[in-house]
Amino acid sequence: VEVVKGSGQILYGPMTVGGVINYVTPPIPERRGGSIALTGGNRDYVNAHARYGGTFNGVGLLVDAVRKQGEGSRDNTRSGLTDVNFKLQTALSTKQSLALKSNYYHEDSRVTYSGLRLDEYLAAPRANVFRNDAFDGQRLGLSGTHSAAVNPNLIVTTNLYYARFDRDWWRQSSNSAQRPNRIGTPGCTGMVDLFSTCGNEGRLREYQTWGFDPKARATHSWLGIRQETDFGFRGHFEVQNRIQANGNAPLARTGAIVEDNERKNQAWSGFLQNRFFVGKFTITPGVRIEHVRLQRTNRLFANGAGVFGNTTLTQVIPGIGVSYTPNSRFTFFTGLHRGFAPPRTEDLITNTGGFVELDPELSWNFEAGVRTRPTRNFTLDATFFRMDYQNQIIPASLAGGVGAVLTSAGATLHEGVEFSGRYDFRNVFGTGNSVYLRGAFTYLPVARFEGLRFSNVAGFANVRVTGNRLPYASGTLGNGILGFVHRKGINAFVEAVQTGRQYGDDLNTVNSTPDGQRGALPGNILWNATLNIPIESRRTTFFLTTKNLTNRTVIVDRVRGILPNAPRLIQAGFKLDF
């Protein structure tokens, strides 16, 4: 996983508010070989992972397959997924190469959408009565990347991609205020009829995305200043078909169609970023332009005649980053960039074709920090950040559950510091052994509504929330690891993961409401531990890991009712390289 923060986000989009996450697939090995890993644990957990690849007559190939299954964190929940990836890479000439990737993913899970009411949580925090809720999803992804060295100073890369995701989720409840979802329908008088005459709702989705993304990097000099220029553009297209079918039985897989929507997005963007290398300084200004067209069609409107609505938005996204490296031990950096995220189609265009005045999410993001390695044994990163939103988009009511639309929270401010570091104690308990401390900590004292702002919680529209803390914004996040590495490769560590208190609504309600959707999420510390034993002669590593070592139960979400964290998970297995 690659995380891009600061002004470097200008190369990507359109969601560039707090950071960009890029999932990087494993590289094709130069030599033929692979690995097999098998993990098992409590709650029926099984994870089998196989990988094989190499170069065959000048063509690099890699196949990667995973099968993972097990019970969830609540009763009557279970997931099973299969994920297969294929990668091919070949040189077309001395200056050109082609990479092809494909991915197939299938998930068949018994999982509900609804959280618990307060009385349900107090009686049995891991209970779930909606045993018939079922999720089935399939995804196919394809991409091709062509790279060409036009000359020693110019590299052009063009990426084409396509993905289709089909998802059917049949459920009898969508949040803790619905017990079950379709109470009042014939034969369904309440929870007593849940497994007999109460029906369900099928939320049937089909998503298709495709696009092209040519970009170039040029290295050159101007006025004696060495430079790197990145520029390119992208066309991105989405089609989403949404159907809701109301079934008349707990296990129904067909029903009356009550929603039939088509939503389309077209996004065109271009960017230019130039990196100046001036002595020990690197200065990187850039700009990106995003133009998005959103369309929505309600096929059921007016007895099937349908209705159509569309709108567009355009945004200029500038940014600049500066770093200073006086020596090999220190790098100081700072940056300022515009954050941008467009609203969703369904939040801009109503089901009757009307247009909602909802501005895009906009912010000015500033950071300044240092990366340092003052000694061979010690590394430290420290950053101050400030995210000043002119308009932040949040759910109209975080406790609204299904059907809750997004709304503008207006001006908000996030401000804090984050640290990460590691210290190694070498030659401990014998030559070649080491003990290390590794940790990260984020302190967010400011995360509040700014300006004149009133609550979006139903019944509290006249209550001013200016200055209140933003929902789900923890004041502290941290993790610390104490580890030991033996000279023969055996290593073990114990980890503490800390999360500060959060609020589930803009009123900053402390005590839980009866439906569980509002109230505080108490802070907590959870412990994990891991042991790895490599057997080099067998090219095998055995491992044992325990998550939530003390089996502590805490609340992790209230949006659709109370959800608990994962219970204690004990897993063991091995990885064999060949």
Side-chain angles (χ1 to χ4, degrees):
V1 176
E2 177 187 31
V3 180
V4 181
K5 300 168 67 177
S7 60
Q9 299 175 62
I10 285 174
L11 275 63
Y12 311 94
M15 311 288 283
T16 55
V17 177
V20 173
I21 297 177
N22 181 32
Y23 294 95
V24 182
T25 57
I28 298 175
E30 294 184 4
R31 296 182 178 180
R32 299 181 188 181
S35 63
I36 296 175
L38 181 64
T39 307
N42 63 326
R43 302 188 71 82
D44 290 339
Y45 180 80
V46 176
N47 186 337
H49 184 189
R51 177 185 299 163
Y52 184 78
T55 302
F56 304 83
N57 297 323
V59 178
L61 301 173
L62 179 66
V63 178
D64 189 295
V66 174
R67 173 62 188 180
K68 183 164 62 174
Q69 61 189 46
E71 297 178 356
S73 60
R74 300 169 61 191
D75 299 339
N76 299 317
T77 59
R78 187 177 183 86
S79 295
L81 63 88
T82 302
D83 193 357
V84 180
N85 293 275
F86 173 76
K87 181 188 287 190
L88 177 152
Q89 187 168 345
T90 184
L92 301 178
S93 69
T94 57
K95 296 183 178 180
Q96 299 185 63
S97 65
L98 177 67
L100 302 176
K101 291 187 289 185
S102 64
N103 163 259
Y104 175 75
Y105 173 91
H106 179 232
E107 178 179 349
D108 183 8
S109 298
R110 292 285 177 175
V111 59
T112 188
Y113 206 57
S114 176
L116 296 169
R117 299 177 61 83
L118 177 60
D119 59 341
E120 295 171 338
Y121 178 79
L122 294 176
R126 302 197 181 280
N128 168 42
V129 297
F130 299 103
R131 66 190 187 196
N132 292 317
D133 290 3
F135 175 99
D136 185 87
Q138 298 186 64
R139 182 187 184 275
L140 174 66
L142 303 169
S143 69
T145 303
H146 176 264
S147 298
V150 179
N151 58 54
N153 298 319
L154 178 61
I155 298 176
V156 178
T157 303
T158 302
N159 184 40
L160 305 176
Y161 58 90
Y162 169 83
R164 173 169 175 156
F165 178 55
D166 294 277
R167 188 213 82 183
D168 293 350
W169 198 345
W170 293 87
R171 54 186 189 252
Q172 291 186 280
S173 177
S174 291
N175 63 64
S176 58
Q178 301 168 323
R179 289 293 188 268
N181 207 3
R182 299 182 58 227
I183 191 169
T185 57
C188 181
T189 61
M191 294 294 287
V192 66
D193 300 316
L194 183 66
F195 305 131
S196 56
T197 54
C198 286
N200 59 13
E201 294 182 356
R203 306 301 177 100
L204 316 179
R205 308 288 186 255
E206 175 200 290
Y207 305 90
Q208 294 191 67
T209 60
W210 66 95
F212 53 93
D213 185 17
K215 59 185 65 175
R217 169 167 289 184
T219 57
H220 55 99
S221 295
W222 181 61
L223 298 179
I225 300 175
R226 186 167 62 91
Q227 300 175 55
E228 266 184 8
T229 302
D230 292 289
F231 58 94
F233 67 95
R234 187 185 68 176
H236 176 81
F237 310 91
E238 300 177 354
V239 175
Q240 176 186 159
N241 285 294
R242 297 171 57 94
I243 293 176
Q244 179 177 329
N246 289 346
N248 59 6
L251 295 175
R253 293 297 179 263
T254 61
I257 305 299
V258 297
E259 178 192 8
D260 190 349
N261 261 219
E262 179 188 65
R263 302 172 187 180
K264 294 182 177 181
N265 297 327
Q266 301 177 26
W268 297 91
S269 59
F271 69 89
L272 173 64
Q273 180 176 272
N274 199 71
R275 186 174 291 107
F276 298 90
F277 300 94
V278 184
K280 297 179 179 180
F281 286 89
T282 302
I283 305 169
T284 312
V287 64
R288 184 181 187 90
I289 299 176
E290 289 279 355
H291 176 75
V292 184
R293 179 181 179 85
L294 306 101
Q295 305 173 47
R296 180 177 183 177
T297 300
N298 177 7
R299 298 188 180 104
L300 298 183
F301 187 79
N303 296 319
V307 65
F308 170 82
N310 69 91
T311 187
T312 62
L313 61 92
T314 302
Q315 184 66 42
V316 178
I317 308 168
I320 185 171
V322 179
S323 66
Y324 171 62
T325 306
N327 53 54
S328 60
R329 295 183 176 182
F330 291 90
T331 296
F332 300 90
F333 59 90
T334 186
L336 176 69
H337 79 279
R338 187 64 150 161
F340 167 72
R344 300 182 303 174
T345 305
E346 59 266 37
D347 299 309
L348 275 179
I349 305 170
T350 68
N351 213 27
T352 58
F355 177 67
V356 178
E357 290 290 343
L358 181 61
D359 292 331
E361 196 166 35
L362 294 172
S363 65
W364 284 108
N365 302 330
F366 172 78
E367 65 175 4
V370 59
R371 289 185 290 269
T372 178
R373 190 177 185 124
T375 69
R376 186 170 70 98
N377 298 336
F378 182 41
T379 60
L380 176 66
D381 291 4
T383 306
F384 166 80
F385 60 89
R386 178 185 174 96
M387 302 169 66
D388 189 356
Y389 286 86
Q390 287 72 58
N391 182 51
Q392 185 175 10
I393 306 299
I394 64 171
S397 169
L398 279 170
V402 68
V405 297
L406 296 189
T407 186
S408 168
T412 65
L413 180 64
H414 306 243
E415 192 173 77
V417 291
E418 57 185 11
F419 304 91
S420 65
R422 173 170 174 149
Y423 192 91
D424 289 272
F425 301 88
R426 302 182 186 276
N427 298 319
V428 178
F429 308 121
T431 304
N433 303 329
S434 66
V435 173
Y436 66 89
L437 293 171
R438 188 178 73 199
F441 184 73
T442 299
Y443 177 50
L444 185 66
V446 178
R448 64 173 181 249
F449 292 97
E450 297 275 278
L452 185 62
R453 182 68 188 176
F454 294 91
S455 177
N456 278 301
V457 177
F460 296 88
N462 295 323
V463 178
R464 184 170 175 174
V465 296
T466 303
N468 280 10
R469 192 164 185 89
L470 291 164
Y472 292 92
S474 174
T476 56
L477 289 171
N479 71 77
I481 291 177
L482 172 62
F484 172 74
V485 180
H486 191 270
R487 59 181 174 272
K488 293 186 177 181
I490 299 173
N491 64 86
F493 68 80
V494 177
E495 177 187 38
V497 180
Q498 183 270 341
T499 304
R501 187 170 75 164
Q502 306 167 63
Y503 294 107
D505 62 274
D506 58 18
L507 294 170
N508 290 178
T509 305
V510 175
N511 296 323
S512 178
T513 54
D515 63 8
Q517 295 179 21
R518 292 173 46 218
L521 286 75
N524 60 84
I525 298 177
L526 301 177
W527 293 87
N528 307 313
T530 292
L531 170 67
N532 294 287
I533 304 176
I535 310 296
E536 291 187 8
S537 61
R538 300 294 183 181
R539 305 182 69 179
T540 302
T541 298
F542 295 92
F543 52 85
L544 172 68
T545 181
T546 303
K547 303 174 184 178
N548 190 5
L549 193 65
T550 61
N551 200 27
R552 185 177 181 184
T553 301
V554 299
I555 298 173
V556 296
D557 190 24
R558 289 183 178 270
V559 172
R560 293 174 176 84
I562 300 174
L563 292 180
N565 66 317
R568 178 166 53 219
L569 301 174
I570 302 174
Q571 299 166 1
F574 69 89
K575 180 181 178 183
L576 168 65
D577 295 308
F578 58 87

